[in-house]
Amino acid sequence: MAFEAIQTALRVVYPPRCTLCGGLVESEFGLCGPCWRYTPVLAGLVCDLCGCPLPGEETDGEARCDDCLRVARPWQKGRAALIYKDNARRLVLALKHGDRHDVVPLAATWMKRAAAPLLVPECLFVPVPLHWTRLLKRRFNQSALLAQAVAKEVGAAWCPDVLERVRRTPSLDGMGMEARFATLDAAIGVRQGRRVRILGRVVILVDDVMTSGATLAACAGALLAGGAAEVRTLTLARVVKDA
């Protein structure tokens, strides 16, 4: 009872605020009504490889978007929680460049829902890595924060350092699809001593945003070469053409 009284007092002094605009909300790490309205959560029929929204109704068969029909994906399933626009873009940028770690619990609830078709017993959550120089500058890996939070939400294991960037690559911003894939060729590998964690397991690869899929492809290829039985991808947001 004493703990509940303390919690009530804290809520009076520090009421929950909208993660985006700071307005009052009913619970911690939530959004207010107006912010919800401009947060494009993915639902309905989506591509089974990347989570991109598709026209039509959900079916039992596997659906594919144009990108995934055109570009071979080394992973077997993929999902995203949001379309990368409007408030979804604001949330991603706030986490990635604004040190807004309070975005993570909210993002994890959306990603947990999106991850449902990917989960199998003994699956392992693994984040897309940053090069050590970039990690030193940023001080955290946003993909690792998301992987940890979602793994906790679904009761699965995770490992933050299975993958490593074996060489530093330039930013992919502004590059076309072919340039992105070429830039990341042989840039990511399984860290020495971590191969035992992925042998024979389904690995769920976590990143903040999927654009072309080049980064995810490089990571998935490394995981499969390292002995993973299968790779599935989960991102907070998916860039969608004309969205």
Side-chain angles (χ1 to χ4, degrees):
M1 292 297 291
F3 177 77
E4 292 179 0
I6 293 172
Q7 289 290 95
T8 300
L10 285 174
R11 286 176 63 88
V12 171
V13 178
Y14 304 106
R17 298 281 180 175
C18 172
T19 302
L20 270 172
C21 72
L24 293 175
V25 292
E26 292 185 0
S27 59
E28 295 287 350
F29 308 115
L31 296 181
C32 65
C35 286
W36 260 115
R37 203 170 304 128
Y38 295 100
T39 303
V41 178
L42 277 163
L45 181 64
V46 298
C47 174
D48 200 49
L49 282 176
C50 72
C52 179
L54 296 173
E57 298 181 357
E58 292 185 82
T59 64
D60 293 333
E62 295 180 346
R64 296 284 188 272
C65 68
D66 290 343
D67 282 351
C68 291
L69 287 172
R70 186 173 69 256
V71 181
R73 307 295 194 191
W75 62 86
Q76 283 67 47
K77 274 182 176 292
R79 289 293 187 275
L82 309 170
I83 298 174
Y84 187 67
K85 68 174 186 177
D86 300 336
N87 283 342
R89 183 175 183 274
R90 289 178 61 194
L91 285 165
V92 169
L93 295 178
L95 170 61
K96 192 170 185 175
H97 300 299
D99 289 358
R100 288 283 308 279
H101 293 198
D102 57 314
V103 169
V104 174
L106 177 60
T109 61
W110 288 324
M111 294 175 76
K112 175 185 177 181
R113 176 180 173 277
L118 310 178
L119 301 176
V120 294
E122 304 303 317
C123 62
L124 178 71
F125 281 73
V126 168
V128 167
L130 289 177
H131 190 267
W132 70 267
T133 56
R134 192 160 290 160
L135 181 60
L136 189 65
K137 181 179 180 180
R138 188 177 292 172
R139 306 185 308 281
F140 66 93
N141 177 358
Q142 71 278 1
S143 299
L145 295 178
L146 293 170
Q148 180 183 28
V150 182
K152 183 179 179 180
E153 285 280 340
V154 302
W158 83 293
C159 187
D161 59 351
V162 166
L163 294 170
E164 64 176 339
R165 301 254 182 176
V166 295
R167 60 180 175 84
R168 179 164 182 168
T169 56
S171 172
L172 302 182
D173 291 347
M175 290 187 185
M177 182 175 289
E178 290 185 6
R180 285 171 176 259
F181 277 85
T183 298
L184 286 163
D185 184 41
I188 297 173
V190 174
R191 190 180 298 274
Q192 187 175 5
R194 286 291 184 255
R195 187 168 179 262
V196 66
R197 296 295 306 272
I198 64 172
L199 282 175
R201 298 178 80 167
V202 172
V203 174
I204 298 181
L205 179 63
V206 178
D207 204 2
D208 54 352
V209 181
M210 175 180 170
T211 304
S212 68
T215 302
L216 293 174
C219 291
L223 289 165
L224 292 170
E230 186 175 309
V231 177
R232 303 175 177 192
T233 65
L234 177 66
T235 58
L236 173 56
R238 172 72 163 102
V239 174
V240 175
K241 295 174 183 177
D242 303 321

